[in-house]
Amino acid sequence: MTEELKVSNDKDRADNLGLGPTPEDDFAKWYQEIVKKAELAENGPVRGTMVVRPYAWRMWELMQRYLDDMFKETGHENAYFPLLIPKSYITKEAEHVEGFAPELWEVTRGGNKDLEEPAVIRPTSETIIGEMMSKWIQSHRDLPMLLNQWCSVMRWERRPRLFLRTSEFNWQEGHTAHVDEEDAMRETLQMLDIYETFAVRDLALPVVKGEKTPGERFPGAKNTYTIEGMMRDGKALQSGTSHYLGTNFAKAFNIEYSNSANEKVLCHTTSWGLSTRMIGALIMAHGDEKGLVVPPRLAPHQVVVIPMRFDKEPRVLEAAEQIAKDLRAVGVRVHVDKRDQRPGFKHNDWELKGAPLRMELGPRDLDEGKVLVAARLGQDEKESIAIADLVGDIPGRLEAYHDFLLTRATEFRDANTKQVDTWDEFVEQVKSGWASVLYDGTEETEQKIKEATSATPRCIPSSFEAEEGPCFVTGAPSAFGKRVIFGRSY
RNA sequence: CGGGCUGUGGCGCAGCCUGGUAGCGCGCUCCGUUCGGGUCGGAGAGGUCCGGAGUUCAAAUCUCCGCAGCCCGACCA
């Protein structure tokens, strides 16, 4: 009887603290529980808004740092443009306004009176930055103009989901102006490459890089490029986009320069953005039934040290702090968990929060000059390592852990991506993954596919070989000169 | 925006059908104990039952209107 009660209490505790559903049971619920229980974010009081908690914001700070470094290395400068944009700006580019009109938040009052011209809260800043660029650019000598801003934007979302789609979200938006198409296109593709590097190197997320089909383009863009990641439920997540805007915005906002022949010429502009949605990507690409799995480059705590009986034996804590100090000196982010909790609780908690490595340090280890090192993934047994070897060992171990995650995610993606040539195969394939197909590229065909399977064209991968043949739906000649990846998406 | 479901201490839930102003588990606080994978015992704190209006002597419970969340769809860098 007592035993039964005890077991039941343990189960209640586990249910309350740990995750209920597994990704296989109920992916949507699993995702929400991770977000909440790993203390990443929660809903704000206004519909669709999100409170980002410190643990997740730290990951975003790291993302910002890696991206910002690459932006600066490629000559970009950060600036800041206003949150509020005159409503009239948005309407200057026809496709742009059509695309964003249904998503706008509008401000009509301030200081207790109606505004003369309503303002919209930026859904993206092409318009206001275009307006400013038109003032700043006079000569070909002013080009290229390479700007970026870190900010939040707002779009009315009908169905918000934390990190994936919220009314307000934080991102970076780059905006550049160039002398001609060639230079602008080089920029567009360069930024796409940077996003890919970021995804692979920092997020351990293999992505498919490529161009969007016309139906999936950014409103007002001539070409849209994307990196698409595969989540563990086989769906695609658009993880970063880069747009070649042609002269569309230059025309709308008069962004022009005098060339060396003293002729007025329209600029060719680009824009590119990546958001906190990447935190959603990280959760859904790497997480498992125990919780979050954070890739080392983004982990707030790469190593968590769990000291045993440290209240009774101060030397344990001293040793733990010394280890932390030594590792920090070689660039490892270490956290010593001094909470008044049992070690078992801490192990579970840090598994839920996805810390890559844990160290268990007690009097016994200390006597032997060793620590037990456990990995969140990819290592079955805890390994006893000499304390003296840690500084040499841990950085490499973190890299190996990153490689493990990347390999695992890549194998998963490849196993769930299939080349198909018939309707039946296609329908089956997009239930759980991606299908690469030849199709005729028409809106009608895309619509038919979407209605039947809810799959949409994700991108025309730049890595794919040229290939042509009959459309798997209509039999008409295929478009784009190569296969296109279709999948369900977020 | 259409269809479905939900809203009760921090979290998970019961109570609602058959109105009589709240209960359980976990968590939290304090004391002791324990500490190498979610210790054990004791004593406590904490809720205008999402909001508003209505019916009633009386509403968590019934009715209406909002708001918010979740799922499916539509929509969506």
Side-chain angles (χ1 to χ4, degrees):
Chain A
M1 192 63 198
T2 316
E3 281 306 303
E4 271 176 29
L5 192 66
K6 188 175 165 186
V7 167
S8 137
N9 282 347
D10 286 350
K11 190 182 170 302
D12 286 346
R13 180 174 291 114
D15 285 351
N16 197 252
L17 297 174
L19 291 178
T22 66
E24 288 72 30
D25 290 340
D26 186 342
F27 198 79
K29 186 133 198 266
W30 167 82
Y31 177 83
Q32 288 188 86
E33 283 210 15
I34 286 204
V35 169
K36 219 163 181 192
K37 290 188 172 168
E39 300 179 350
L40 301 178
E42 47 196 85
N43 290 307
V46 173
R47 179 193 152 75
T49 58
M50 168 167 67
V51 177
V52 182
R53 302 186 64 177
Y55 193 64
W57 192 259
R58 180 72 182 114
M59 294 180 206
W60 179 237
E61 286 177 338
L62 289 162
M63 291 186 189
Q64 291 183 67
R65 185 201 293 173
Y66 301 140
L67 286 167
D68 205 62
D69 283 350
M70 288 193 278
F71 297 162
K72 300 253 169 67
E73 278 162 23
T74 46
H76 301 83
E77 295 180 297
N78 285 331
Y80 186 78
F81 296 84
L83 169 79
L84 295 176
I85 300 176
K87 195 180 178 185
S88 59
Y89 281 23
I90 295 286
T91 63
K92 287 187 183 179
E93 210 289 329
E95 285 182 28
H96 192 65
V97 64
E98 196 184 323
F100 280 107
E103 301 182 48
L104 293 177
W105 290 70
E106 196 172 322
V107 177
T108 58
R109 284 179 67 78
N112 206 24
K113 64 170 201 167
D114 291 336
L115 299 180
E116 282 184 31
E117 179 183 349
V120 297
I121 297 175
R122 60 184 168 219
T124 177
S125 304
E126 275 76 6
T127 59
I128 189 159
I129 294 179
E131 176 74 16
M132 298 314 294
M133 279 181 166
S134 75
K135 294 183 183 174
W136 297 339
I137 295 169
Q138 306 289 330
S139 153
H140 63 278
R141 296 193 180 86
D142 297 326
L143 296 172
M145 184 165 283
L146 307 174
L147 301 176
N148 177 66
Q149 80 170 339
W150 292 93
C151 64
S152 71
V153 291
M154 289 195 82
R155 301 173 187 183
W156 180 262
E157 291 295 348
R158 291 177 178 118
R159 196 177 162 191
R161 289 190 86 184
L162 292 174
F163 291 116
L164 302 179
R165 183 167 277 108
T166 48
S167 289
E168 182 189 10
F169 59 93
N170 282 79
W171 75 344
Q172 117 330 274
E173 51 176 326
H175 297 270
T176 67
H178 306 261
V179 289
D180 58 15
E181 170 166 356
E182 191 192 345
D183 199 48
M185 192 56 88
R186 181 168 51 232
E187 166 79 5
T188 305
L189 296 176
Q190 169 186 260
M191 300 324 286
L192 188 69
D193 286 344
I194 283 177
Y195 287 157
E196 181 187 35
T197 297
F198 168 74
V200 173
R201 184 196 67 189
D202 301 325
L203 220 67
L205 179 69
V207 289
V208 174
K209 185 175 71 172
E211 185 172 357
K212 284 287 190 188
T213 57
E216 300 274 322
R217 275 185 199 137
F218 174 74
K222 282 196 78 171
N223 307 83
T224 287
Y225 297 84
T226 178
I227 53 170
E228 301 278 327
M230 183 184 278
M231 305 297 104
R232 289 198 55 190
D233 61 352
K235 288 194 190 175
L237 183 71
Q238 179 172 303
S239 303
T241 47
S242 185
H243 315 289
Y244 168 58
L245 304 172
T247 54
N248 291 344
F249 285 86
K251 270 182 224 152
F253 291 92
N254 243 328
I255 313 172
E256 53 180 22
Y257 64 97
S258 300
N259 65 13
S260 50
N262 200 26
E263 299 156 334
K264 295 282 185 201
V265 184
L266 285 170
C267 288
H268 291 249
T269 66
T270 82
S271 67
W272 26 277
L274 183 147
S275 74
T276 47
R277 173 182 261 197
M278 288 311 256
I279 295 172
L282 175 162
I283 299 166
M284 293 195 294
H286 297 306
D288 63 17
E289 67 289 341
K290 287 180 179 170
L292 196 59
V293 171
V294 189
R297 298 258 305 169
L298 296 173
H301 312 308
Q302 295 173 310
V303 176
V304 172
V305 182
I306 301 175
M308 307 289 159
R309 297 176 56 84
F310 60 88
D311 56 332
K312 297 258 169 50
E313 307 216 27
R315 63 186 181 117
V316 174
L317 194 54
E318 281 163 26
E321 298 285 13
Q322 188 58 46
I323 287 170
K325 196 178 163 195
D326 293 344
L327 283 171
R328 284 178 194 132
V330 292
V332 179
R333 290 187 289 278
V334 187
H335 174 70
V336 179
D337 188 348
K338 287 180 275 196
R339 286 178 296 177
D340 180 21
Q341 296 283 1
R342 312 200 84 209
F345 175 93
K346 294 181 183 179
H347 281 112
N348 282 287
D349 192 47
W350 289 112
E351 278 171 346
L352 175 65
K353 293 194 170 109
L357 299 178
R358 298 188 305 281
M359 278 181 199
E360 218 168 308
L361 179 67
R364 289 210 292 274
D365 308 287
L366 214 45
D367 291 341
E368 297 168 25
K370 293 184 166 180
V371 286
L372 276 180
V373 176
R376 173 67 174 77
L377 278 176
Q379 178 187 319
D380 294 333
E381 298 288 315
K382 292 178 186 176
E383 204 176 323
S384 187
I385 299 180
I387 292 173
D389 294 342
L390 288 175
V391 164
D393 180 90
I394 294 297
R397 202 169 279 260
L398 289 168
E399 276 176 42
Y401 184 81
H402 169 93
D403 292 343
F404 173 84
L405 292 186
L406 181 59
T407 302
R408 191 178 72 142
T410 305
E411 286 170 357
F412 178 83
R413 181 198 62 187
D414 292 346
N416 289 288
T417 305
K418 212 169 136 193
Q419 192 166 306
V420 304
D421 295 302
T422 67
W423 177 258
D424 289 346
E425 283 179 293
F426 180 89
V427 170
E428 198 50 38
Q429 178 58 23
V430 295
K431 281 181 186 166
S432 61
W434 294 350
S436 91
V437 296
L438 289 168
Y439 84 110
D440 62 19
T442 63
E443 295 256 334
E444 295 74 52
T445 300
E446 289 181 9
Q447 195 55 37
K448 186 180 171 191
I449 291 170
K450 188 173 180 184
E451 277 168 21
T453 67
S454 81
T456 52
R458 301 322 307 155
C459 78
I460 311 163
S462 43
S463 65
F464 278 12
E465 303 286 325
E467 187 177 347
E468 289 182 11
C471 170
F472 80 104
V473 182
T474 63
S478 65
F480 312 117
K482 52 166 75 170
R483 285 182 181 266
V484 175
I485 286 186
F486 273 74
R488 293 175 302 142
S489 75
Y490 281 97

